[in-house]
Amino acid sequence: PGAKLTLIAPGAEATPQALRIEGKLEQTVAPADANTVASSDLPLPKGAERAEGIELWVRGDGHAYRLRVAPENAELQTSPQITLVPSADWQPVRILLPPAGAAGGAYASGRVQLQLAVEGAAGGFTFEMDQIALYAQRDGAHQANGKAVFGPQ
């Protein structure tokens, strides 16, 4: 099924805009059968090899969603992923980046792909995301890296 992408305002923590992904499941989708409904290539900024993962703010409608980060040409089964059921309130989530040596060479190509799949009862779905950034682990504690954002650097 196709998904519609829309910019909404305001975003998480009063940012000017966020991205809404909405569509319709024609039939109930079991977790094993969830297909990607939206994906985007994300250019990695300089220094990405020192990052542990991606942090983003999300909210949703009660469906279960799977977020996956895959290097180009990677086997999907080996790519880091999380499954979540976001509430109507904005919340931060984190997903690991593929290992630097993973198939597909995420760091050699300078890109990864962020993929979204949806599962659950037939009917409409709405998922929103904002503030996509890299995070690093320093001194045993996780800290968001506000300067390492996706896009041209």
Side-chain angles (χ1 to χ4, degrees), residues 121-147:
F125 66 86
T126 302
F127 181 86
E128 297 170 353
M129 67 175 76
D130 196 9
Q131 300 189 47
I132 302 171
L134 295 176
Y135 72 90
Q137 182 174 346
R138 297 202 178 98
D139 300 325
H142 292 285
Q143 297 178 355
N145 183 351
K147 295 185 187 282

Side-chain angles (χ1 to χ4, degrees), residues 54-76:
I54 296 173
E55 180 178 85
L56 63 156
W57 287 72
V58 302
R59 66 181 178 182
D61 59 5
H63 279 88
Y65 294 91
R66 183 172 54 234
L67 284 169
R68 177 180 287 143
V69 177
E72 293 179 334
N73 306 317
E75 292 291 327
L76 294 181

Side-chain angles (χ1 to χ4, degrees), residues 97-117:
L97 281 171
Y107 303 100
S109 71
R111 314 183 81 68
V112 292
Q113 189 174 81
L114 181 62
Q115 302 170 346
L116 175 71

Side-chain angles (χ1 to χ4, degrees), residues 5-141:
L5 306 177
T6 309
L7 289 177
I8 59 166
E13 298 190 317
T15 59
Q17 296 177 319
L19 181 65
R20 174 178 287 157
I21 302 165
E22 57 190 337
K24 184 176 182 181
L25 295 176
E26 297 299 328
Q27 59 188 16
T28 298
V29 178
D33 298 326
N35 290 318
T36 299
V37 294
S39 64
S40 179
D41 285 337
L42 300 175
L44 294 170
K46 292 178 183 176
E49 64 278 358
R50 293 186 305 273
E52 185 173 331
I54 296 173
E55 180 178 85
L56 63 156
W57 287 72
V58 302
R59 66 181 178 182
D61 59 5
H63 279 88
Y65 294 91
R66 183 172 54 234
L67 284 169
R68 177 180 287 143
V69 177
E72 293 179 334
N73 306 317
E75 292 291 327
L76 294 181
Q77 296 82 0
T78 63
S79 298
Q81 63 182 343
I82 59 170
T83 299
L84 63 151
V85 180
S87 71
D89 297 322
W90 286 107
Q91 57 196 9
V93 297
R94 290 181 169 179
I95 182 169
L96 295 174
L97 281 171
Y107 303 100
S109 71
R111 314 183 81 68
V112 292
Q113 189 174 81
L114 181 62
Q115 302 170 346
L116 175 71
V118 62
E119 58 193 59
F125 66 86
T126 302
F127 181 86
E128 297 170 353
M129 67 175 76
D130 196 9
Q131 300 189 47
I132 302 171
L134 295 176
Y135 72 90
Q137 182 174 346
R138 297 202 178 98
D139 300 325

